[in-house]
């Protein structure tokens, strides 16, 4: 049923995009339909999550209604030119087909189960919870309520906080280790649920071990939309191929496609926004620029960092082209963002407010208590400005704006150069002068952008902007892409996020701006006549990516257990049992997956000699089976079956667990701190089934 409804949605959106799109063909519609389907499910799913009434069927049926209306509007009002649908598909898109094939191969070998200590693991666990039929906004651990003493409850509370990323409601006077203030454990799992829905649906259709395959769909769709965005901006065929190929080959894009993280889909949304913003042919494009931004608002909490430049871009397009669709998009964008933020803080407050920490540091007067009011005020101001732009006579407005820039070009170039000088000086200070370690420059946000865009892309762009600004700001579309670069990379790295702890995990936010970087570099290099020079730049970028791509294709980062391993372990357990895991590093990997797959209750571990025997006796009064997991060697040294005469222990599962991660601690490549080696090892784990002799 899920697969049928999902396919129905996709077919409807493919048809709707075909009817609406003035320059669409089968290739573009395949990719845009993926993006629309993602957005449709995200918005309708968010509505159901708001009322804590989400189910996949409700979401998909709601999406069908929305998508059906989209098709009908296209049939009635669309201006599609069917005569150009399929011409030159083979010849025109042969290069794109090569890029897609290579992207599929490089990202095919997905990473596996993560731990709850990282965002990947929390998204996986939330997806597994949904696959088990639990769609509640809050995740509860009712076993806590069955504990009898304050000591037991305190140990359990410490155990839960040790799992990370299960956020319990807190009040000001509570601490992380005060069980007296907590009657029950019921909290929100890290992140917004709309991404985990994608994993869960894919897992329901293709199996748990394949649920991360949905990342490949998002990755390939973003490549196609990137290709057509390059076409919109007017890049030459060769440059279009090289820019799209470089985007696909960027290590962070491949790493994300192999992981279970939101940024693959956020990158798709960014590319989609650039496409609509630069589309000159489709009359509907101005109204559609708001679509990826509204979807972003209900998918991830970080849109606030980029909202100013998005809204200003829409205003600028209206001033130049006098199309009211841009004003409509500006209003829909700001209020979509407001509703998305209100939704996020309602269903996941601890996570959502935590993501605004950087904003709170910049705007000291904003805090958790007044955040929604502040955002609402900003949205009202933006709406007033937008309306004023619309009611003001716009005749000759384009010429007036153009004349202003021409008249004040020299002053504007001075401001631009001063801004670039300040940015470079700031990064030099943060990286070399005001630091205590010689590696500080490697972990600046701007360094991440440089490494992950091919070493020379950003330096070339900055140099051309500084010395030849006319070449960069040669048209309105070029100017807007350049403005997105200046804000989203240079300003963002100076103010919002200056440093990153390590690669690839915290550098993943760099992926969002890669379409901007490669498109901007593309039309800059297209202005040079010397092909040897321009091809040389692209070759350096591509060659700089190859060592990392080889590592990424072969290795699996942060993989803590194969899916088959977890499923086989779960198959060895009886339902409605109790599980105790003896090591914290195993707890954070296996507790929640095994609880989800088996329905068992999870408990903290009392070390031998301190209370394990008493804990098992306590649990055996409530459960027929108590399972204890530990490393096999430790159980052999101190056999659990010898602890008590009241119960027996039998080993029901013993097998080596294969772990793999990129070696972040032994990086010897001379240029970047991005790992080129993997660490693989195995740990022998035993699972004991303990039953009472009584």
């Amino acid at each position: 049923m899920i697969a049928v409804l999902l396919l129905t949605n996709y077919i409807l959106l493919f048809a709707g995009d075909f009817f609406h799109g003035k320059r669409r063909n089968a290739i573009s519609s395949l990719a845009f339909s993926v993006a629309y389907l993602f957005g449709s499910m995200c918005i309708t799913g968010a509505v159901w999550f708001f009322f804590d009434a989400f189910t996949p069927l409700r979401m998909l049926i709601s999406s069908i209604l929305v998508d059906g209306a989209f098709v009908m509007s296209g049939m009635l009002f669309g201006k599609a030119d069917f005569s150009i649908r399929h011409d030159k598909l083979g010849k025109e898109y042969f290069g794109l087909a090569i890029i897609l094939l290579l992207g599929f191969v490089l990202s095919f070998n997905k990473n596996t189960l993560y731990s709850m200590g990282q965002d990947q693991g929390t998204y996986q666990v939330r997806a597994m919870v949904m696959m088990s039929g639990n769609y509640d906004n809050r995740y509860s651990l009712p076993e806590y309520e069955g504990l009898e003493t304050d000591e037991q409850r305190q140990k359990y509370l410490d155990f839960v906080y040790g799992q990370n990323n299960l956020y319990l409601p807190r009040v000001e006077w509570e601490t992380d280790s005060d069980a007296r203030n907590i009657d029950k454990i019921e909290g929100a799992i890290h992140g917004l649920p709309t991404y985990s829905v994608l994993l869960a649906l894919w897992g329901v259709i293709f199996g748990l071990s394949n649920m991360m395959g949905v990342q490949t769909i998002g990755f390939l769709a973003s490549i196609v939309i990137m290709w057509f965005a390059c076409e919109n901006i007017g890049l030459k065929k060769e440059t279009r191929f090289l820019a799209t190929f470089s985007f696909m080959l960027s290590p962070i894009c491949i790493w994300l496609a192999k992981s279970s993280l939101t940024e693959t889909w956020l990158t798709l949304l960014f590319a989609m926004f650039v496409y609509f913003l630069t589309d000159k042919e489709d009359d509907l494009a101005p109204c559609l620029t708001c679509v990826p931004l509204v979807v972003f608002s209900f998918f991830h909490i970080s849109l606030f960092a980029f909202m100013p430049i998005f809204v200003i871009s829409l205003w600028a397009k209206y001033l130049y082209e006098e199309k009211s669709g841009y004003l409509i998009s500006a209003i829909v964008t700001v209020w979509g963002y407001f509703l998305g933020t209100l939704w996020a803080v309602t269903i996941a407050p601890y996570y959502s407010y935590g993501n605004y920490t950087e904003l709170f540091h910049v705007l000291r007067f904003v805090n958790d208590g007044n955040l929604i009011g502040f955002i609402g005020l900003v949205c009202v101001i933006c709406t007033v400005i937008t309306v004023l732009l619309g009611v003001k006579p716009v005749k000759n407005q384009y010429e007036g704006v153009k004349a202003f820039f021409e008249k004040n070009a020299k002053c504007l170039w001075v401001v631009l150069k001063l801004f670039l000088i300040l940015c470079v000086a700031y990064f030099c200070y943060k990286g070399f002068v005001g630091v205590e370690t010689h590696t500080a420059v490697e972990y600046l946000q701007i360094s991440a952008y440089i490494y992950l865009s091919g070493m020379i892309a950003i330096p070339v762009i900055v140099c051309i902007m500084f010395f030849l600004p006319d070449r960069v700001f040669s048209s309105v579309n070029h100017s807007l892409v350049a403005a997105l670069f200046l804000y989203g990379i240079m300003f963002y790295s100076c103010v919002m996020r200056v440093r990153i702890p390590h690669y690839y995990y915290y550098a993943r936010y760099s992926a969002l701006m890669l379409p901007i970087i490669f498109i901007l570099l593309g039309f800059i290099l297209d202005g040079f006549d010397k092909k040897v020079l321009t091809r040389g730049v692209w070759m350096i970028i591509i060659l700089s990516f190859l060592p990392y791509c080889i590592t990424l294709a072969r290795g699996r980062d942060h993989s803590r257990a194969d899916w088959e391993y977890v499923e086989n372990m779960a198959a060895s357990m009886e339902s409605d049992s109790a599980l105790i895991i003896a090591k914290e590093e195993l707890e954070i990997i296996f507790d929640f997956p095994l609880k989800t797959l088996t329905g068992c209750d999870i408990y903290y571990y009392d070390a031998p000699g301190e209370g394990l025997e008493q804990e098992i006796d306590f649990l055996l009064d409530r459960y027929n089976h108590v399972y204890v997991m530990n490393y096999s060697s430790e159980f052999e040294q101190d056999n659990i079956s010898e602890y008590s005469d009241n119960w027996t222990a039998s080993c029901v599962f013993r097998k080596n667990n294969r772990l793999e991660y990129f070696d972040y601690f032994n990086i010897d490549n001379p240029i970047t701190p991005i790992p080129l080696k993997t660490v693989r090892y195995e740990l022998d784990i035993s699972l004991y089934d303990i039953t009472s002799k009584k």
Side-chain angles (χ1 to χ4, degrees):
M1 177 64 76
I2 296 294
V4 171
L5 291 174
L6 199 61
L7 183 60
T8 302
N9 267 290
Y10 183 76
I11 292 173
L12 285 172
L13 288 167
F14 182 85
D17 184 67
F18 222 53
F19 283 118
H20 275 290
K22 193 171 184 178
R23 294 188 301 128
R24 293 282 194 270
N25 54 47
I27 304 299
S28 63
S29 288
L30 285 171
F32 276 93
S33 300
V34 169
Y36 288 142
L37 178 59
F38 159 51
S40 175
M41 292 193 301
C42 188
I43 300 299
T44 56
V47 172
W48 289 112
F49 277 118
F50 181 80
F51 294 104
D52 205 3
F54 175 88
T55 68
L57 289 178
R58 288 172 179 169
M59 178 193 70
L60 291 171
I61 292 172
S62 301
S63 295
I64 286 176
L65 296 177
V66 173
D67 302 342
F70 180 60
V71 174
M72 291 300 296
S73 65
M75 294 175 66
L76 294 174
F77 307 109
K79 298 180 180 180
D81 183 358
F82 291 95
S83 64
I84 61 171
R85 291 295 178 186
H86 304 288
D87 63 332
K88 303 178 182 178
L89 286 186
K91 181 180 178 180
E92 186 75 15
Y93 301 114
F94 179 72
L96 176 59
I98 293 174
I99 296 172
L100 291 172
L101 179 60
L102 185 57
F104 176 81
V105 171
L106 290 174
S107 64
F108 179 78
N109 181 29
K110 294 289 187 282
N111 303 331
T112 56
L113 177 68
Y114 294 92
S115 73
M116 277 286 281
Q118 291 191 323
D119 291 4
Q120 298 104 308
T122 62
Y123 289 125
Q124 289 175 344
V125 166
R126 185 66 182 270
M128 293 171 69
V129 170
M130 291 181 186
M131 291 172 66
S132 71
N134 181 0
Y135 308 110
D136 294 340
N137 290 337
R138 299 233 173 232
Y139 187 79
S140 62
L141 295 173
E143 45 265 51
Y144 173 81
E145 299 168 46
L147 300 176
E148 297 175 346
T149 67
D150 289 341
E151 180 184 8
Q152 287 176 329
R153 290 194 168 210
Q154 188 60 64
K155 287 181 179 180
Y156 199 94
L157 186 61
D158 294 339
F159 154 74
V160 170
Y161 280 122
Q163 306 314 298
N164 289 342
N165 292 323
L166 176 61
Y167 302 134
L168 307 184
R170 301 178 186 179
V171 292
E172 187 175 345
W173 57 85
E174 288 177 344
T175 67
D176 287 358
S177 58
D178 189 357
R180 292 174 299 176
N181 290 323
I182 298 180
D183 295 325
K184 61 181 179 178
I185 291 182
E186 185 180 77
I189 298 176
H190 176 91
L192 299 178
T194 41
Y195 171 63
S196 293
V197 170
L198 299 181
L199 296 174
L201 290 180
W202 208 257
V204 167
I205 297 171
F206 297 103
L208 176 64
S209 60
N210 297 311
M211 71 175 178
M212 289 164 64
V214 73
Q215 292 293 93
T216 299
I217 303 300
F219 180 42
L220 298 181
S222 67
I223 292 171
V224 176
I225 294 176
M226 170 71 181
W227 175 279
F228 285 100
C230 291
E231 185 179 89
N232 276 353
I233 212 73
L235 299 189
K236 297 175 182 177
K237 289 184 179 180
E238 180 181 304
T239 306
R240 188 193 317 162
F241 173 83
L242 292 170
T244 308
F245 186 72
S246 299
F247 167 74
M248 179 278 297
L249 208 59
S250 175
I252 194 62
C253 289
I254 297 172
W255 185 84
L256 285 167
K258 290 165 61 70
S259 306
S260 51
L261 287 165
T262 58
E263 281 72 23
T264 289
W265 295 90
L266 296 180
T267 304
L268 181 151
L269 294 177
F270 265 65
M272 195 175 177
F273 173 76
V274 174
Y275 174 87
F276 287 132
L277 190 68
T278 57
D279 193 335
K280 301 176 183 178
E281 302 294 330
D282 195 340
D283 295 335
L284 193 62
C287 294
L288 291 176
T289 50
C290 64
V291 171
L293 304 181
V294 173
V295 174
F296 194 130
S297 301
F298 290 90
F299 191 67
H300 200 272
I301 199 66
S302 63
L303 182 61
F304 72 89
F306 304 101
M307 276 296 291
I309 192 61
F310 288 151
V311 175
I312 291 172
S313 297
L314 295 172
W315 289 343
K317 282 287 283 187
Y318 171 73
L319 291 175
Y320 273 92
E321 297 185 4
E322 301 181 1
K323 293 180 179 179
S324 58
Y326 291 114
L327 295 183
I328 295 172
S329 281
I331 293 175
V332 173
T333 293
V334 295
W335 289 108
Y337 164 66
F338 175 81
L339 292 175
T341 305
L342 180 62
W343 169 78
V345 299
T346 300
I347 68 166
Y350 189 84
Y351 162 78
S352 300
Y353 286 121
N355 272 270
Y356 276 92
T357 302
E358 296 295 334
L359 180 65
F360 297 158
H361 287 164
V362 176
L363 303 177
R364 301 283 183 175
F365 58 88
V366 183
N367 53 50
D368 291 1
N370 61 19
L371 175 65
I372 295 299
F374 171 75
I375 292 175
L377 176 61
V378 172
C379 290
V380 169
I381 294 172
C382 289
T383 302
V384 170
I385 295 173
T386 305
V387 171
L388 290 176
L389 287 173
V391 299
K392 181 180 178 181
V394 296
K395 187 177 181 180
N396 298 323
Q397 205 158 299
Y398 170 83
E399 295 300 328
V401 174
K402 183 179 178 181
F404 171 82
F405 279 103
E406 290 176 349
K407 182 179 179 180
N408 300 279
K410 291 184 178 180
C411 294
L412 293 173
W413 299 155
V414 170
V415 173
L416 172 64
K417 291 179 181 181
L418 181 61
F419 174 75
L420 293 174
I421 290 171
L422 289 174
C423 287
V424 173
Y426 182 78
F427 295 131
C428 289
Y429 173 78
K430 284 291 186 180
F432 297 103
V433 181
V435 298
E436 297 180 358
T437 89
H438 70 281
T439 60
V441 69
E442 296 178 344
Y443 291 91
L444 293 175
Q445 179 66 53
I446 191 64
S447 300
Y449 281 122
I450 290 172
Y451 300 150
L452 298 170
S453 61
M455 300 304 297
I456 64 171
I458 290 178
V460 167
I461 291 171
V462 170
C463 288
I464 298 300
M465 274 190 173
F466 190 87
F467 293 107
L468 298 170
D470 289 329
R471 187 183 297 274
V472 180
F473 298 86
S474 57
S475 71
V476 59
N477 280 344
H478 291 177
S479 299
L480 287 173
V481 173
L484 288 168
F485 172 85
L486 290 171
Y487 180 94
I489 294 173
M490 305 302 288
F491 178 77
Y492 177 78
S493 299
C494 282
V495 177
M496 301 303 294
R497 186 181 290 270
V498 179
R499 297 190 185 279
I500 60 170
H502 70 77
Y503 299 82
Y504 290 95
Y505 186 69
Y506 288 102
R508 66 187 189 269
Y509 305 104
S510 307
L512 280 62
M513 281 294 158
L514 288 179
I516 302 295
I517 295 173
F518 292 124
I519 289 173
L520 181 56
L521 180 65
F523 69 70
I524 286 175
L525 294 181
D526 269 353
F528 290 95
D529 295 329
K530 296 183 178 180
K531 288 190 175 181
V532 174
L533 174 65
T534 58
R535 289 173 179 172
V537 171
W538 290 114
M539 287 304 103
I540 290 173
I541 291 171
I542 292 169
L543 290 173
S544 74
F545 288 155
L546 292 182
Y548 308 103
C549 292
I550 293 171
T551 302
L552 285 163
R554 293 176 176 175
R556 301 185 304 181
D557 197 15
H558 294 301
S559 293
R560 294 293 179 257
D562 290 337
W563 290 108
E564 183 181 6
Y565 187 91
V566 181
E567 290 177 302
N568 289 341
M569 185 181 293
S572 304
M573 300 173 61
E574 297 287 340
S575 60
D576 300 322
S577 55
L579 173 66
I580 300 170
I581 298 181
K583 291 295 179 182
E584 290 182 0
E585 63 270 22
L586 294 180
E587 287 177 354
I588 205 169
I589 298 171
F590 293 107
D591 264 335
F592 286 100
L594 288 177
K595 179 177 177 62
T596 301
L597 291 174
T598 66
C600 69
D601 290 338
I602 53 176
Y603 289 91
Y604 60 86
Y605 176 75
D606 261 355
E610 298 178 16
L612 178 61
E613 182 178 344
Q614 292 80 3
E615 181 183 15
I616 293 176
D617 287 337
F618 172 79
L619 293 176
L620 282 175
D621 288 338
R622 291 159 173 77
Y623 301 91
N624 292 327
H625 297 269
V626 176
Y627 294 94
V628 180
M629 182 195 299
N630 203 345
Y631 298 124
S632 301
S633 59
E634 296 195 18
F635 275 164
E636 289 168 0
Q637 294 170 5
D638 193 3
N639 197 321
I640 192 170
S641 63
E642 298 178 357
Y643 289 154
S644 174
D645 295 330
N646 298 325
W647 35 263
T648 59
S650 59
C651 184
V652 293
F653 183 88
R654 175 175 289 178
K655 189 177 180 181
N656 281 345
N657 178 36
R658 295 182 298 177
L659 297 92
E660 183 176 348
Y661 63 90
F662 291 165
D663 193 352
Y664 293 92
F665 303 103
N666 297 290
I667 299 173
D668 52 14
N669 39 306
I671 300 177
T672 75
I674 303 175
L676 284 169
K677 299 176 181 177
T678 56
V679 176
R680 298 181 178 92
Y681 60 99
E682 294 185 351
L683 293 173
D684 194 17
I685 296 175
S686 292
L687 181 69
Y688 280 81
D689 180 8
I690 301 174
T691 55
S692 176
K693 290 182 179 179
K694 298 177 183 179

